[in-house]
Amino acid sequence: MRHWKKRLFAAGVCLSLLTGQAALASDALGHDLHTASRPLSEGAALHTGWFWSDTYSDLRTERYVTYLPNEAVTPTVAYGDNVLQRATLTAMAQKLEAAGKRVVEGSNGDFYVLTTGQPLGLVVTGGILRSSSSYHSAVGFRADGTAFVGTPNLQITATLFGMPVTVFGGVNKVRQIRSVDGGGLTLLTEDFGESTQNTSPGVDVILHPVEEGVGETVPAEENPSGQVLTVSKELRIGGRVNCVVDYVTEAAGANPIPEGSFVLTMNGQDDEGTLNMLRALQTGDEVTIDVTSADARWNEATEALGAMYRLLDNGQLGPNLSAERTARTAVGVKADGTVIFYTIDGKQPGLSVGATCTQVAMRLLELGCVEAVGLDGGGSTTLGVTAPTQSAMTVVNSPSDGAERKNSTALFLTTELKPTGEPGALWLTPGDALLLSGMDAAFSAAYLDTAWYAMEGTPREAVYTADGPGVLTADGHFAAGAAGSTTITATSGALTGQANVTTVATPDRIQVINEATGGVLGAISLEPGETISLTASALWRGLTPLSRDECYTWECDPEVGSVTADGLFTAAGKSASGELRVTAGERTAVLPVNVAGHILPLIDFEGEESRFTSTDTVTAALETDLAQVRTGRRSLRLDYVLDATGSAGVDTELTLSAGENHLGLWVKGDGSGSALFAAFTDDSGEELLAPVCTLDFTDWEHMLTPIPEGARKLSGLRLIYGGGEKAAGTVWLDQLTTANEALEDFTAPTVSLTVQGGKLTASVSDNVDRGLSKANIKLTYDGWGMDFQWNAASGTLTATLPEAGEATHRITVTAVDASGNVGQGTRELLGDSPDPFGDMSDHWALPYAKYLYQQGITTGVPVGEETWYNPGENITRAEFFTMAARWMRLDLGEYEDVELPFVDAAQIPEWAVPAVKAMYAEDIVKGSLEQTGLYAYPNATINRAEAMTILGRTQGKGRAEAEVDGFTDAALIPDWALSYVKTLVGQKVVGGYEDGTLRPLAFMTRGEVAKVLRTLW
């Protein structure tokens, strides 16, 4: 029964530690936002605090463990397999757990030398000195867990031949040279490692401790320190070790450290007098090692750890504190003896911006500390705990490296308490909650036993109370009300447990989220009648309070649709623009809403089949002559003859998507005056006719016609005689689409490219289409197609680019929307390769010609030992065809069997024949029809209009055309070249001259060809 009462008292002490940390207002860290406190074990509790820094407009997140010294839970210093071996906090904890200890808490330890892992300061474990320090501050712990802070200033003395010699190099430190005060004598033990790790010649004295005198005391007058010492076989502060020399060696480098032995070692270039004393030692000689401190408290330390910074000294800030803002780890001691193991995360925007040493010192002062030291920080800062519900330690902070760093030392609280099965306290789940007003949280209690282990079962008749705003039911259901902090307490008999709640009434920001994708929306774009399920999330000082639908009020402009109380938004039945608003407290988020119809592709004729069947009156065929194509490289040609009834038709079967009510198509009329109808069928197969247009025009026009109600398929096209002179003719159709409202699209997609670190990111957007398919996107790198990743939802293309080297490269992304409009974006990666041509120094066309040379599109002309490009010379048609074929990346070997129809085919230079065959087969080079036949004129110079026509044919149709009326000689552009000239001017591939002319009939120079080819990719 006395054991029971003791445990209840301990539980009360631990809970008092929790309640004592509830108020976190901090001048050091900023505005306090939210707190959480959880008991861990006897006298130990974890506290978490979130603060807002006005200076950096960001969060600070601290975590610390309070510890009221007791014999059941004790501080434990740890390191790796030796004092130089680094390990993660988790690895060190697992080692302790494997030894039968429960790790209550753990944090990283002292600073260390990165290259060696050597801790800078003091290390004491189990009362044994593992590594010394002469000037660093340290924190020490007695066997009862009480802590103290000071500077050990250890005096380590080796007595040789009755003469004391100071071990200036310390214990288990990497050996150095010391030029004054007797040399850098260093003492190494097994804790240092398997060898001395010396890298230069020196003297090593291997000696072993002896049993003689162990446990006896050495009077003050009989030792150099003037203190009473206790003899031991281990190095202890306030103690002596009697040793016997095994052997002395002149070591060229590292020597093994024998098991159970010590090594006195000194660099061979150090103090000669001390070296000679070491050399004079003989096997069997006696050597005594004394370790003392002027501060007798260190004699009592069973565990101790060094620290670079003295943060607090008797309630005053220490000197020379680091001003770097980063993650920090510290240990503070309060006037009542309570110890605080403190961490604050850093260098993680949105989580914690860190703190300076001064801010940490001020924060520990706010928490009641009067003494404190700063341990290693930055990426080393790590804090782990074992909650009563856990079986092993887990890291609870966020290390700024993104993962645990391997550190030199660590400081733990450990216990050997075992489960008792006797209830000792209550554990609340959740342990804390950050809630938006109107949100609920259900708290439930469970037993912790008197050794702070979770127990099975639910406490009977637990009573829940709250001391702040909100409504708490008898069964622990809490409804957040006004802003403020609330402590939830569960009581069952003499047992209690607590949780912390912070309620936020007005968030800083509200995010609207698409429930289907989880993405945060900045605007809403829907089709008429479309629905989207929305949810809201609140942000408050970088934190996310828990919330639900009832925490928010939804409303929208009626013209764009309607929204329910739980965020289900339904778009209006027709196109409109307006706003959606969601409100929590006094904060309202406003999202633009755009309701717009869609356009879907029905058929674009780019495949090998037209999908239209010829009849006795209409012949349907794919057209490849780009002069008769509106988008892409193919259209549908209809040659018709109206029969005796004055009608003709062609059949197809194209299924319509549900909800489509308009048919769009491009038509090139023949001026016949006949009427074009679209034929549809409904579910019963009945034909429904819809008028498209009267063929009283001869150029391309876009038509939009309503789809009859009930239509399910487009079944054909019908021509009806209009009473004119023509009862036969030819019309062309292209890019058939459907839409769910009267909608046309003549605007190309926009494409923007960025390149960073060898990765390409392209953003593609369209004014109408949402979610372009990957098939509609093309990526080229110097004209070669590349694979890529495509996110249709975000319109984002990503790709990893090849190594750029010294050459210049051009990256192009082309996008085609459902209406056939073509958009393009280009990014150039400039290189610095040598100039290949000897005749282009300072010539404006050099960058363009050099690029073509790098890409194998031109080889230049050998002139002596140089290669010339001849940029000012006119280019022949054969030369131009060859360069264009290479630019198109055509495999010329695939066209060997092509028969050329040109009368002057024999005049084509042998080197140009493969390219001319390819360009003819691709319907790009057509030749000139004369009375005597078709001619290629391969050796004639090519003029600008002809060149622009050839280049235009390589691209297909659908790009925006620019007006050319601004050129003073626009009237000279031949009709057959006009559309291609407009397209290239619109792409800024071709521009005018300074005098405002375009000079379409002027011959094209080789320099101009280089510019247009490089720019066209």
Side-chain angles (χ1 to χ4, degrees):
M1 190 67 183
R2 292 177 58 191
H3 176 74
W4 169 260
K5 291 181 179 179
K6 178 181 177 182
R7 293 296 182 223
L8 286 180
F9 171 75
V13 169
C14 194
L15 291 176
S16 71
L17 287 174
L18 295 179
T19 56
Q21 302 300 324
L24 286 183
S26 173
D27 292 331
L29 302 184
H31 305 289
D32 57 301
L33 304 177
H34 179 51
T35 178
S37 298
R38 297 290 258 171
L40 298 175
S41 189
E42 187 163 335
L46 171 67
H47 308 273
T48 305
W50 292 268
F51 300 85
W52 182 256
S53 168
D54 287 333
T55 303
Y56 300 103
S57 297
D58 209 338
L59 286 169
R60 283 194 172 99
T61 304
E62 71 174 11
R63 291 177 179 85
Y64 61 91
V65 171
T66 52
Y67 166 64
L68 187 62
N70 63 88
E71 295 179 358
V73 175
T74 57
T76 304
V77 172
Y79 47 86
D81 290 339
N82 55 65
V83 294
L84 298 187
Q85 187 182 69
R86 297 160 57 190
T88 64
L89 186 72
T90 296
M92 294 187 205
Q94 289 171 345
K95 191 174 179 181
L96 291 170
E97 289 163 349
K101 295 181 181 294
R102 180 177 176 86
V103 174
V104 176
E105 174 272 348
S107 65
N108 66 284
D110 192 9
F111 286 82
Y112 53 90
V113 180
L114 285 173
T115 55
T116 65
Q118 170 187 294
L120 294 188
L122 181 69
V123 179
V124 173
T125 70
I128 300 172
L129 177 64
R130 310 293 183 175
S131 187
S132 66
S133 171
S134 60
Y135 58 89
H136 279 119
S137 297
V139 57
F141 300 92
R142 301 178 180 90
D144 62 0
T146 57
F148 58 92
V149 171
T151 305
N153 286 324
L154 296 185
Q155 178 72 27
I156 304 168
T157 304
T159 301
L160 316 175
F161 307 113
M163 298 180 59
V165 179
T166 301
V167 182
F168 280 107
V171 174
N172 289 332
K173 302 295 185 183
V174 175
R175 190 182 71 185
Q176 305 291 333
I177 296 177
R178 185 178 179 88
S179 59
V180 295
D181 297 332
L185 186 61
T186 303
L187 179 63
L188 304 178
T189 73
E190 288 180 277
D191 294 316
F192 187 76
E194 294 181 355
S195 80
T196 62
Q197 302 191 29
N198 295 329
T199 58
S200 55
V203 177
D204 290 348
V205 178
I206 290 79
L207 36 86
H208 67 270
V210 296
E211 293 285 351
E212 183 181 353
V214 170
E216 297 178 358
T217 59
V218 181
E221 62 273 11
E222 293 183 11
N223 68 80
S225 68
Q227 295 184 12
V228 176
L229 303 178
T230 301
V231 179
S232 170
K233 287 189 65 175
E234 301 91 5
L235 293 175
R236 296 178 181 274
I237 303 175
R240 167 175 288 181
V241 180
N242 294 320
C243 300
V244 172
V245 175
D246 291 330
Y247 61 91
V248 179
T249 179
E250 296 277 350
N255 251 338
I257 302 175
E259 183 178 354
S261 297
F262 296 167
V263 177
L264 279 171
T265 182
M266 194 169 189
N267 189 287
Q269 301 298 315
D270 214 312
D271 178 73
E272 190 65 24
T274 305
L275 286 168
N276 287 335
M277 290 181 69
L278 297 178
R279 293 183 179 113
L281 290 169
Q282 301 291 319
T283 300
D285 284 348
E286 295 182 358
V287 175
T288 60
I289 309 293
D290 295 344
V291 182
T292 60
S293 171
D295 185 346
R297 293 180 301 172
W298 296 103
N299 297 354
E300 305 169 5
T302 56
E303 308 287 319
L305 192 62
M308 178 176 286
Y309 298 109
R310 182 68 178 266
L311 300 179
L312 292 175
D313 185 355
N314 195 26
Q316 302 298 311
L317 266 62
N320 304 317
L321 299 183
S322 170
E324 181 185 5
R325 179 170 48 83
T326 187
R328 298 286 178 187
T329 305
V331 179
V333 182
K334 299 172 65 171
D336 65 359
T338 301
V339 184
I340 292 180
F341 301 94
Y342 184 89
T343 64
I344 184 168
D345 286 333
K347 292 187 176 180
Q348 298 175 80
L351 173 71
S352 187
V353 297
T356 66
C357 275
T358 299
Q359 287 172 312
V360 172
M362 292 174 61
R363 177 63 182 147
L364 291 172
L365 197 61
E366 292 172 344
L367 293 174
C369 295
V370 291
E371 304 288 344
V373 289
L375 302 178
D376 195 5
S380 296
T381 291
T382 315
L383 181 71
V385 301
T386 305
T389 55
Q390 297 173 321
S391 60
M393 189 204 78
T394 58
V395 173
V396 293
N397 80 314
S398 178
S400 58
D401 283 353
E404 287 185 73
R405 179 183 289 182
K406 290 183 177 181
N407 293 317
S408 173
T409 55
L411 181 56
F412 293 94
L413 291 175
T414 62
T415 183
E416 295 183 4
L417 291 174
K418 303 300 180 185
T420 65
E422 301 176 15
L426 299 183
W427 176 266
L428 262 62
T429 303
D432 72 287
L434 179 66
L435 307 177
L436 193 63
S437 292
M439 181 61 184
D440 288 358
F443 291 90
S444 61
Y447 283 124
L448 298 181
D449 72 10
T450 54
W452 301 95
Y453 287 86
M455 294 175 57
E456 297 288 339
T458 302
R460 296 179 179 179
E461 300 179 357
V463 176
Y464 294 87
T465 58
D467 69 352
V471 177
L472 184 67
T473 63
D475 60 356
H477 194 89
F478 179 79
S485 298
T486 301
T487 299
I488 307 295
T489 301
T491 303
S492 177
L495 308 181
T496 61
Q498 292 184 334
N500 306 103
V501 177
T502 299
T503 300
V504 177
T506 298
D508 299 325
R509 185 157 58 99
I510 301 172
Q511 293 179 330
V512 177
I513 300 167
N514 182 341
E515 279 195 346
T517 65
V520 177
L521 300 174
I524 298 175
S525 296
L526 298 177
E527 297 176 1
E530 187 178 359
T531 62
I532 183 172
S533 184
L534 305 172
T535 186
S537 174
L539 293 176
W540 178 66
R541 296 293 194 268
L543 300 175
T544 304
L546 296 176
S547 61
R548 59 181 181 178
D549 292 335
E550 289 79 3
C551 299
Y552 305 94
T553 301
W554 298 85
E555 61 178 2
C556 66
D557 295 336
E559 57 266 27
V560 297
S562 60
V563 61
T564 63
D566 59 357
L568 180 64
F569 178 79
T570 302
K574 61 181 181 179
S575 295
S577 296
E579 292 179 346
L580 172 77
R581 294 171 293 278
V582 56
T583 300
E586 298 180 3
R587 183 72 58 196
T588 299
V590 179
L591 269 71
V593 178
N594 182 48
V595 180
H598 63 234
I599 294 176
L600 300 179
L602 190 59
I603 186 170
D604 59 9
F605 306 111
E606 297 302 309
E608 297 300 323
E609 296 180 354
S610 71
R611 300 283 303 276
F612 283 79
T613 305
S614 299
T615 63
D616 293 341
T617 55
V618 180
T619 300
L622 290 176
E623 177 66 79
T624 60
D625 183 352
L626 289 180
Q628 313 301 340
V629 174
R630 181 58 181 77
T631 63
R633 303 198 66 85
R634 290 182 173 88
S635 64
L636 178 67
R637 174 177 176 146
L638 300 179
D639 295 302
Y640 67 91
V641 177
L642 297 174
D643 61 15
T645 64
S647 65
V650 63
D651 296 328
T652 189
E653 189 171 311
L654 298 174
T655 301
L656 305 175
S657 298
E660 303 302 280
N661 54 37
H662 280 79
L663 174 71
L665 69 163
W666 284 99
V667 180
K668 185 173 184 181
D670 58 3
S672 65
S674 297
L676 176 66
F677 286 79
F680 300 90
T681 54
D682 59 17
D683 289 334
S684 66
E686 180 182 353
E687 185 170 275
L688 309 170
L689 290 181
V692 176
C693 63
T694 299
L695 299 173
D696 54 3
F697 54 92
T698 58
D699 202 354
W700 286 101
E701 291 191 16
H702 191 263
M703 303 300 170
L704 191 66
T705 186
I707 296 173
E709 187 174 350
R712 296 292 180 263
K713 295 180 180 179
L714 176 67
S715 56
L717 296 167
R718 307 290 180 254
L719 289 154
I720 298 177
Y721 178 57
E725 297 180 0
K726 297 178 65 174
T730 301
V731 296
W732 287 267
L733 308 179
D734 209 349
Q735 203 70 26
L736 273 65
T737 61
T738 61
N740 58 353
E741 62 178 49
L743 185 61
E744 296 177 293
D745 180 13
F746 307 120
T747 302
T750 59
V751 183
S752 61
L753 281 65
T754 58
V755 176
Q756 186 173 10
K759 184 176 181 180
L760 167 70
T761 302
S763 297
V764 181
S765 60
D766 189 73
N767 64 317
V768 173
D769 297 359
R770 291 188 290 132
L772 294 176
S773 71
K774 187 176 182 179
N776 290 48
I777 312 296
K778 180 181 179 181
L779 167 64
T780 62
Y781 185 83
D782 293 329
W784 298 103
M786 274 189 65
D787 193 19
F788 55 89
Q789 293 75 48
W790 173 247
N791 186 321
S794 63
T796 304
L797 176 153
T798 55
T800 300
L801 301 175
E803 290 291 336
E806 295 182 346
T808 292
H809 301 280
R810 283 181 70 83
I811 308 162
T812 300
V813 174
T814 305
V816 183
D817 67 16
S819 300
N821 302 304
V822 181
Q824 186 170 290
T826 299
R827 178 68 185 272
E828 194 164 68
L829 306 178
L830 296 177
D832 190 23
S833 58
D835 297 341
F837 302 115
D839 62 338
M840 295 193 70
S841 178
D842 297 327
H843 193 282
W844 64 266
L846 174 60
Y848 309 110
K850 183 166 73 169
Y851 177 72
L852 297 190
Y853 180 84
Q854 293 168 351
Q855 297 302 320
I857 295 168
T858 183
T859 57
V861 179
V863 178
E865 296 183 356
E866 294 184 331
T867 299
W868 285 16
Y869 183 72
N870 300 319
E873 291 186 4
N874 297 332
I875 192 168
T876 68
R877 291 168 61 84
E879 290 173 327
F880 185 79
F881 299 159
T882 301
M883 292 178 70
R886 292 171 180 165
W887 172 85
M888 291 180 67
R889 301 302 192 190
L890 298 177
D891 184 354
L892 303 185
E894 294 182 358
Y895 303 90
E896 291 180 358
D897 297 333
V898 172
E899 295 291 336
L900 293 175
F902 305 122
V903 174
D904 56 351
Q907 299 177 23
I908 301 173
E910 184 177 352
W911 51 263
V913 170
V916 176
K917 285 185 175 182
M919 299 293 276
Y920 172 75
E922 293 294 333
D923 209 24
I924 294 171
V925 170
K926 298 177 180 296
S928 299
L929 184 62
E930 310 291 350
Q931 290 184 346
T932 55
L934 193 63
Y935 289 79
Y937 296 124
N939 299 311
T941 52
I942 194 167
N943 66 35
R944 288 166 58 82
E946 292 171 331
M948 284 187 274
T949 299
I950 294 296
L951 295 178
R953 288 173 183 163
T954 67
Q955 293 187 309
K957 295 294 190 69
R959 287 173 167 80
E961 296 183 352
E963 293 300 325
V964 294
D965 295 342
F967 298 111
T968 57
D969 57 351
L972 299 178
I973 302 172
D975 289 343
W976 46 263
L978 184 58
S979 67
Y980 302 113
V981 172
K982 287 182 175 181
T983 298
L984 294 186
V985 171
Q987 292 177 256
K988 295 183 172 54
V989 172
V990 173
Y993 293 88
E994 292 182 356
D995 61 0
T997 61
L998 187 63
R999 303 178 193 176
L1001 304 181
F1003 295 123
M1004 199 166 217
T1005 68
R1006 290 171 59 82
E1008 291 173 330
V1009 171
K1011 181 179 185 298
V1012 297
L1013 285 180
R1014 171 169 160 177
T1015 309
L1016 197 58
W1017 263 342

